[in-house]
Amino acid sequence: MKVLSERHQQSILRVCEYIQQHLDDELTAEQLSDIAACSRFHFHRVFMAFMGLSTTRYIQLAKLRRASFRLAFEQHKIIDIALEAGFSSSEAFTRAFKSSFVQTPSQFRNQPNWQHWHRVLQLPSIPREEMILKVKIVDFPATHIAYVQHCGAPQQVLDSAAKFIAWRKQTGLSPIASSETFGIPYSDPNTVAPEDFRMDICGTIKASAIPDNEFGVIAGVIPGGRCAVARHYGSHDTIGNTVYQLYREWLPDSGEELRDFPCFFHWINFIHEVDECELLTDIYLPIK
């Protein structure tokens, strides 16, 4: 029975990933049941049993999730976001968005309630078959950064990210198009109380000083030194899996010792630029 359960889990994972990769395509029950290698007479019940919602609702939430990032971090017109999400009018989009997230698209754009948004989108996590981890060792140069410090629940990190993005746009000191973006978590969100979680959201800068500002952005440096680097593919929500794999599988056999600086992330692209399945994040593990 356990083997059957694992097979079904991987089938549903394939379906979820296929949906994420084809949000702009017509998705039929026949297509999805074929992806799952499951009879169409049973597929919907299997999906519902594992995910707790129908495929139709899952697809709608996936589109609304992407639309949420468009609203929060881009300046596209709401009607354009609505059409991309598959709605025929901004009114229909507004009804569906408010029904799911309490706020209208305009309200979410102006002041997103990320905590409620996370609760709505807190779907079951399906164990993924681990990929073979490819690790390289690099000499990371000392890097001047501007950063905003996030202290509090991981679900509120996007609020801090929004502040940092607003600072970038207002000052032009760390333009998104030509600067690199890093995240430095100083604790593991799975092992500390929400109020004790800290993460710095950083962007590279050329200057070594930052003028006082209303966003709380200050200057800092990511220290240079040797680092082991592994790439995480896909959702930022599962990045911890790759981090643990790096510590569990690579580090014990590497003969390397850790430096006194936390692991950190280099975000290669962003959720408002690409589909979630296409996200790329490099994980740096500082070593001596």
Side-chain angles (χ1 to χ4, degrees):
M1 184 63 68
K2 183 178 179 181
V3 173
L4 182 64
S5 175
E6 290 176 354
R7 178 173 65 82
H8 281 146
Q9 288 188 41
Q10 293 306 312
S11 295
I12 298 305
L13 178 61
R14 286 198 303 272
V15 171
C16 292
E17 290 180 338
Y18 183 85
I19 289 171
Q20 293 291 342
Q21 293 168 5
H22 297 83
L23 281 181
D24 296 322
D25 300 340
E26 182 181 357
L27 297 165
T28 67
E30 289 76 17
Q31 279 180 311
L32 298 181
S33 60
D34 286 345
I35 296 297
C38 178
S39 165
R40 67 181 185 278
F41 299 111
H42 305 291
F43 166 68
H44 287 294
R45 289 189 177 90
V46 172
F47 190 93
M48 176 71 81
F50 277 99
M51 299 303 296
L53 72 174
S54 69
T55 54
T56 300
R57 178 59 173 162
Y58 182 88
I59 292 168
Q60 184 186 60
L61 283 178
K63 290 182 176 182
L64 291 176
R65 177 186 171 92
R66 182 175 65 178
S68 301
F69 289 115
R70 297 274 197 264
L71 289 166
F73 300 122
E74 296 183 353
Q75 298 302 315
H76 295 306
K77 294 179 180 178
I78 290 179
I79 182 59
D80 293 334
I81 297 173
L83 294 174
E84 182 191 44
F87 293 90
S88 59
S89 66
S90 57
E91 291 77 15
F93 174 58
T94 296
R95 286 194 298 271
F97 196 94
K98 186 175 182 180
S99 175
S100 296
F101 303 122
V102 179
Q103 297 177 296
T104 66
S106 296
Q107 291 169 337
F108 188 87
R109 166 165 277 174
N110 292 330
Q111 192 171 3
N113 184 343
W114 289 115
Q115 283 188 299
H116 181 77
W117 181 90
H118 275 286
R119 286 196 295 271
V120 171
L121 294 172
Q122 194 170 19
L123 302 176
S125 177
I126 303 174
R128 175 190 295 271
E129 294 179 347
E130 288 188 344
M131 300 175 61
I132 297 175
L133 202 63
K134 296 181 179 179
V135 181
K136 61 182 179 180
I137 295 178
V138 301
D139 286 316
F140 184 85
T143 302
H144 289 279
I145 55 169
Y147 71 95
V148 65
Q149 186 179 105
H150 171 80
C151 296
Q155 293 80 7
Q156 296 174 321
V157 164
L158 290 172
D159 287 327
S160 299
K163 289 182 182 178
F164 189 67
I165 290 171
W167 173 84
R168 278 180 143 174
K169 290 179 178 178
Q170 185 180 101
T171 66
L173 294 178
S174 179
I176 296 175
S178 57
S179 302
E180 296 179 309
T181 305
F182 295 91
I184 308 175
Y186 286 84
S187 50
D188 183 341
N190 294 316
T191 61
V192 298
E195 62 271 18
D196 293 330
F197 178 69
R198 174 189 164 188
M199 182 174 189
D200 292 348
I201 301 167
C202 324
T204 55
I205 53 173
K206 295 181 179 179
S208 58
I210 298 293
D212 291 341
N213 58 86
E214 61 183 301
F215 303 101
V217 175
I218 57 179
V221 176
I222 301 177
R226 296 174 72 241
C227 289
V229 187
R231 176 156 291 186
H232 173 76
Y233 298 88
S235 173
H236 294 161
D237 294 340
T238 59
I239 198 168
N241 297 339
T242 305
V243 173
Y244 288 139
Q245 192 179 359
L246 185 59
Y247 280 99
R248 182 180 63 245
E249 296 182 6
W250 179 82
L251 183 60
D253 295 331
S254 68
E256 299 288 351
E257 294 184 37
L258 298 174
R259 271 193 288 131
D260 189 24
F261 191 77
C263 71
F264 57 96
F265 311 139
H266 177 199
W267 291 307
I268 308 298
N269 52 17
F270 302 97
I271 189 66
H272 61 279
E273 299 173 334
V274 299
D275 289 337
E276 193 166 27
C277 58
E278 297 174 346
L279 288 170
L280 301 174
T281 308
D282 282 343
I283 302 168
Y284 285 78
L285 188 64
I287 54 178
K288 294 182 179 179

